[in-house]
Amino acid sequence: MIQQICAPVSVIFSFNHQTRVIKPEKIIWDSKIYFISKVGFHHSFRQGSTRFHIFSVVSNNLFFRLSLNTDTLFWNLEEISDGLPD
Amino acid sequence: MGSQIELPFNSKPSTIMHIDLNSCFASIEQQANPLLRNKPIVVAAYNSPSGCILAPSVEAKLLGIKVGMRVKDGKLLCPNLIVRGPDPWKYRTVHLALKKILLEYTNKLAPKSIDEFVLNFEGFPSFSRGLTLVAQEIKTRIKNEIGDWLTVSIGIGPNRFLAKMGSNLKKPDGLEEINYKNFLDVYQKLTLVKLHGIDKSYTARLNLSQIYTVMDFYNATPSQLKSAFQSIQWFYWYLRLRGWEIDDVEFGRKSFGNMYSLPKALVAVEELSPILHKLVQKMSYRLRLNGYCCKGVHLAILYRDHSFWHKGVSLKNPLFDSQDIYRLAVKIMSASPYQKSVANISVSCFNLSKNNTLQLDLFDNLIKKESLVSTIDSINEKWGDFVITPGKMLGTKDLIPDRIAFGNIKELENFIIQNN
């Protein structure tokens, strides 16, 4: 099931200067901690002059779409999914 | 071009490569969300029973789900079908990343659509390595640098047509070459409708000239082809099938247009005009962004009973302001003799000219107007599309979402670069 939501979320993020790999490591949402096992895709776009970075990530059997507003540096959870049909 | 023409198959080494990203939108969604992999999914224009399927995944295709089907029909074939709405910026990002890789091999590169590229290696150092090796390397790099779930079908040939045909031979993840050595084997296995550019109506015309198979097509005499096509197309096909290049042409911009399929039935001009206004805003912004003005506006309406009405109006003076184009478009719409439920509305502008050739008008201050329009465009660019909009567009916020046109690639890259 795919669920569109709009909720602020806490994100621990890493950048490795040697491999130049960026990755959300864990998110804290609704008082629960989810460790990110895989980043499926990362893309960005501009809305007006604000750039948003979108990380499509997986933690065990849950998918999260995370959005980073580069003006405020605030994270937002936009979508969750368990990969099953509605 | 006399009837005595006798041209052999082009024996030059293959220099053209056609790259086609398999099940593009659906594969990218599976790339982003690994939980959707190995499952039948589709990307549809709308996640509603009558939403049109834009891209089925490889798994959904195996179940018989095709592009253009309704979501409800797809779910009849596969009750567990997962439906996703389109996410254009994901697809644009993959397009740009793929282009960046391909430009390392040749700069004679033509994007044919969001998921297709044609590359010409003639005269480039990578050609000497052998195109099959280069193609394998490109496949590996796509998996390592863009996404491990993404696959491409690659065709190699002496011309664009045969390279495209090669990419269609094996999907997904194919790599096929059609050249002077194997073209007869390939032609013998194909049917006429499998040829890129030959549809059922062309097949019927070819059949009338006693051409029933691809081999008949290849062996047809010029007079047979002339009688089938009744145009210069006969010669183009004569060359294409023999591996000679005829498709290496880029067509210039002739018009700008935007189209919208209405989610609910609307009839009255007053109900339709906010939608028309938003379509005109989007279209005229693209017109100005590309530095054009227009001297004609065309409106087409498809009704829910499948009847169709359209009208175009040409003008003496060029238009660039959304308000002027809207006024004309709404005037055209009011001229429709039908009061029926509308399914689809499209507006386009034509007779384009570069807007640095504006003639001063005695009664209208064009320079002042251009300055105002360009200021509004700048504000919309800075703060987001449609932050300044006419009152008539109120209530259209969620209508006419961002979409990727099928095939049309003319503005895509400008649009991406501007956004970046």
Side-chain angles (χ1 to χ4, degrees), chain B residues 20 27 98 158 168 175-176 197 201 240 251 254 265 294 307 408:
Chain B
D20 185 345
S27 295
L98 181 53
N168 287 340
L175 171 52
E176 302 287 338
S201 64
R240 265 182 208 121
F251 295 98
K254 293 275 193 291
C294 67
S307 60
N408 188 346

Side-chain angles (χ1 to χ4, degrees), chain A residues 60-78:
Chain A
N60 293 326
N61 291 325
L62 271 184
F63 165 83
F64 299 94
R65 179 183 162 108
L66 303 167
S67 161
L68 172 68
N69 178 327
T70 57
D71 276 356
T72 61
L73 299 182
F74 288 178
W75 288 87
N76 213 41
L77 179 57
E78 296 188 336

Side-chain angles (χ1 to χ4, degrees), chain B residues 46 260-264 266 271 274-275 278 282 386 393-402:
Chain B
Y46 300 98
Y260 183 55
S261 295
L262 277 65
K264 61 177 182 179
L266 298 178
E271 292 176 315
I275 291 168
K278 192 163 182 183
K282 283 194 156 196
F386 303 117
M393 254 176 65
L394 285 174
T396 61
K397 189 173 177 285
D398 296 324
L399 302 177
I400 320 177
D402 184 17

Side-chain angles (χ1 to χ4, degrees), chain B residues 111-386:
Chain B
K112 301 304 287 178
S113 67
I114 188 91
D115 61 347
E116 282 180 299
F117 287 89
V118 176
L119 291 81
N120 185 346
F121 288 84
E122 197 160 2
F124 285 87
S126 46
F127 177 68
S128 59
R129 292 168 51 203
L131 291 197
T132 305
L133 265 183
V134 171
Q136 280 159 347
E137 186 177 299
I138 288 171
K139 278 168 174 275
T140 309
R141 286 191 63 187
I142 288 169
K143 284 195 176 292
N144 293 340
E145 296 171 34
I146 307 178
D148 55 354
W149 191 253
L150 303 179
T151 57
V152 288
S153 285
I154 299 184
I156 298 168
N159 66 1
R160 286 182 176 216
F161 169 73
L162 290 173
K164 167 78 182 169
M165 290 305 304
S167 75
N168 287 340
L169 287 180
K170 191 187 164 214
K171 286 190 171 184
D173 207 16
L175 171 52
E176 302 287 338
E177 179 173 356
I178 304 177
N179 57 23
Y180 67 97
K181 290 178 189 162
N182 69 349
F183 75 97
L184 286 175
D185 291 340
V186 175
Y187 286 177
Q188 276 163 5
K189 288 174 193 154
L190 290 174
T191 55
L192 284 172
V193 282
K194 289 276 179 195
L195 294 180
H196 179 67
I198 297 291
D199 57 11
K200 282 181 185 168
S201 64
Y202 264 129
T203 305
R205 286 166 70 171
L206 290 166
N207 290 168
L208 285 173
S209 298
Q210 316 303 317
I211 298 168
Y212 301 102
T213 64
V214 178
M215 282 309 292
D216 290 344
F217 199 10
Y218 175 72
N219 290 319
T221 62
S223 57
Q224 247 181 312
L225 293 173
K226 274 180 193 171
S227 77
F229 286 99
Q230 304 281 326
S231 74
I232 189 67
Q233 283 297 329
W234 79 265
F235 186 59
Y236 298 161
W237 276 105
Y238 189 85
L239 295 178
R240 265 182 208 121
L241 290 167
R242 281 161 180 75
W244 301 91
E245 191 58 272
I246 192 70
D247 298 306
D248 188 11
V249 282
E250 297 299 327
F251 295 98
R253 167 66 76 177
K254 293 275 193 291
S255 65
F256 286 88
N258 273 69
M259 183 175 84
Y260 183 55
S261 295
L262 277 65
K264 61 177 182 179
L266 298 178
V267 177
V269 172
E270 303 80 60
E271 292 176 315
L272 293 164
S273 58
I275 291 168
L276 180 64
H277 211 129
K278 192 163 182 183
L279 282 173
V280 168
Q281 284 276 342
K282 283 194 156 196
M283 177 191 74
S284 52
Y285 175 65
R286 290 165 51 217
L287 176 82
R288 293 190 295 273
L289 188 68
N290 286 278
Y292 287 102
C293 50
C294 67
K295 282 187 179 174
V297 175
H298 181 268
L299 188 81
I301 300 174
L302 178 69
Y303 296 97
R304 282 178 193 263
D305 63 2
H306 301 292
S307 60
F308 179 71
W309 178 85
H310 72 113
K311 188 179 177 186
V313 170
S314 293
L315 303 157
K316 216 171 94 185
N317 293 321
L319 300 179
F320 58 87
D321 180 9
S322 310
Q323 301 304 311
D324 293 339
I325 297 175
Y326 169 70
R327 270 193 288 273
L328 182 59
V330 88
K331 201 172 155 187
I332 298 172
M333 188 162 70
S334 306
S336 165
Y338 305 112
Q339 289 287 312
K340 293 191 286 190
S341 179
V342 173
N344 188 304
I345 184 165
S346 70
V347 62
S348 59
C349 55
F350 55 93
N351 281 352
L352 305 180
S353 55
K354 281 286 175 186
N355 66 358
N356 53 10
T357 55
L358 284 180
Q359 293 269 330
L360 288 179
D361 191 307
L362 199 56
F363 303 106
D364 203 0
N365 193 335
L366 278 182
I367 294 175
K368 204 171 163 187
K369 185 186 274 182
E370 196 182 18
S371 165
L372 176 65
V373 168
S374 128
T375 304
I376 292 173
D377 284 348
S378 307
I379 292 170
N380 280 334
E381 273 164 30
K382 177 156 186 185
W383 299 104
D385 289 347
F386 303 117

